[in-house]
Amino acid sequence: MASYLTRFAPSPTGPLHLGHAYSAVTAFNRAQAQGGTFLLRIEDIDRSRCRPDWEAQIYDDLHWLGLSWPEPVMRQSDRLPAYAEALDRLAALGLTYPCRCTRSDIRAAVSAPQEGATGPDGLIYPGTCRHRSMSEAGPQDAIRLNMAKATALVGPVSFHEIGPLHTGLHVLQPLQMKDTVGDVVLARRDMGTSYHLSVTVDDATQGITEVVRGVDLFDATAIHVLLQRLLDLPTTTYWHHDLIRDDQGKRLAKRDDARAIALYRKDGASPADIRAMVGL
Ligand code: GLU
């Protein structure tokens, strides 16, 4: 069996907060317990929101917390050709189409009362552009996955959750994928990729055996496993942890700078204090 490999994959769009500390330390501890390796990956595909000083702060905060990882660190902004290649493979299978719908186009199209279900990425795409061909794709288009065709090709999607929250084997049938996930975006306009595509390609390239991350990404897992199947990549196991909440029980958002690790550090907190605050 491959030796245990996991990762922490933050986006440098703001300071790391207590929720990130919890996620990173959980992944690091699991790697240590299994005699495996913990990797750091910088998810910076959204160039408009990522900043080098946030990235520097990530390294600094994580080192301060006592975590270490092998260098060099993978950065998604260096990986665009790998994502383009994966997208080309999916296009060659006839599973993609260009889409120029805006968010408000989608809202308007699903305004009929029986529609408007939401999935991991918000409203389930109503399929307005599904008839379009890749030969028409231009810079103003996103690229979507035709979910019905994709699941027809690979059948049910299944993965093992070994974390404490949804433990067990999860199997999603093609119809369920179509109705609860829909035609997800594989490449955002002007970006050439998406969170789902990059994460799937990178986890495989890095040989990740177990994905440790917050349960807010649990519903996205079926998309990643489907992409693994379509691209002939190995399926990892998953460990989704609960989310750190504030005193009002609200989950901490990236923007919740009040919980930034850097602020606690400035106030004199120790790494042990941070671990205690997140219950580790
Ligand atoms: N980059 C994602 C985030 O900032 C995490 C991706 C993952 O762990 O799959 O939340």
Side-chain angles (χ1 to χ4, degrees):
M1 223 185 95
S3 66
Y4 183 97
L5 202 60
T6 192
R7 85 302 194 275
F8 175 58
S11 296
T13 54
L16 293 187
H17 57 59
L18 290 183
H20 292 107
Y22 181 60
S23 200
V25 174
T26 300
F28 185 81
N29 286 351
R30 282 192 61 72
Q32 297 253 294
Q34 323 266 332
T37 305
F38 165 86
L39 300 179
L40 174 65
R41 181 169 75 221
I42 299 293
E43 304 218 318
D44 58 350
I45 52 172
D46 190 342
R47 304 306 291 156
S48 65
R49 293 176 58 227
C50 294
R51 284 186 6 209
D53 48 334
W54 292 131
E55 187 177 325
Q57 182 79 48
I58 289 174
Y59 300 133
D60 196 53
D61 282 342
L62 294 179
H63 280 311
W64 176 81
L65 275 172
L67 309 193
S68 56
W69 51 88
E71 302 279 351
V73 166
M74 179 180 276
R75 298 168 78 237
Q76 291 193 323
S77 54
D78 295 331
R79 304 259 308 142
L80 298 182
Y83 309 142
E85 193 187 311
L87 191 63
D88 284 348
R89 275 184 70 178
L90 298 171
L93 291 169
L95 303 179
T96 61
Y97 62 88
C99 170
R100 66 184 57 160
C101 293
T102 62
R103 254 174 242 255
S104 55
D105 291 337
I106 297 173
R107 262 197 308 274
V110 297
S111 63
Q114 73 279 19
E115 294 182 87
T118 56
D121 292 344
L123 281 173
I124 305 279
Y125 183 61
T128 320
C129 288
R130 198 178 287 137
H131 64 279
R132 293 182 60 208
S133 120
M134 285 301 283
S135 59
E136 306 167 25
Q140 64 280 67
D141 287 305
I143 306 297
R144 286 185 183 272
L145 180 70
N146 183 319
M147 187 55 81
K149 281 191 186 172
T151 50
L153 201 63
V154 296
V157 165
S158 64
F159 64 93
H160 286 277
E161 171 68 37
I162 51 177
L165 297 173
H166 299 286
T167 323
L169 175 68
H170 293 261
V171 183
L172 287 100
Q173 298 298 329
L175 195 61
Q176 204 177 353
M177 291 295 286
K178 189 169 135 304
D179 291 346
T180 64
V181 180
D183 293 358
V184 288
V185 170
L186 295 176
R188 287 163 61 184
R189 206 181 323 252
D190 298 328
M191 217 178 274
T193 188
S194 61
Y195 159 63
H196 301 305
L197 187 64
S198 332
V199 120
T200 304
V201 170
D202 290 347
D203 283 340
T205 301
Q206 295 195 293
I208 298 301
T209 61
E210 180 179 284
V211 169
V212 177
R213 62 185 175 196
V215 73
D216 52 331
L217 291 169
F218 180 78
D219 288 341
T221 304
I223 303 170
H224 305 165
V225 175
L226 172 66
L227 291 175
Q228 289 160 1
R229 291 279 181 287
L230 293 168
L231 294 166
D232 292 319
L233 302 174
T235 289
T236 63
T237 56
Y238 289 87
W239 176 287
H240 289 90
H241 58 72
D242 52 350
L243 302 176
I244 298 293
R245 294 174 188 274
D246 67 15
D247 306 334
Q248 277 81 50
K250 230 176 76 228
R251 76 170 259 236
L252 294 181
K254 287 254 163 57
R255 294 159 293 284
D256 197 349
D257 295 356
R259 303 290 166 137
I261 297 169
L263 283 184
Y264 289 106
R265 287 177 66 180
K266 252 211 320 255
D267 286 348
S270 70
D273 293 333
I274 300 286
R275 285 171 193 252
M277 271 184 236
V278 299
L280 289 169

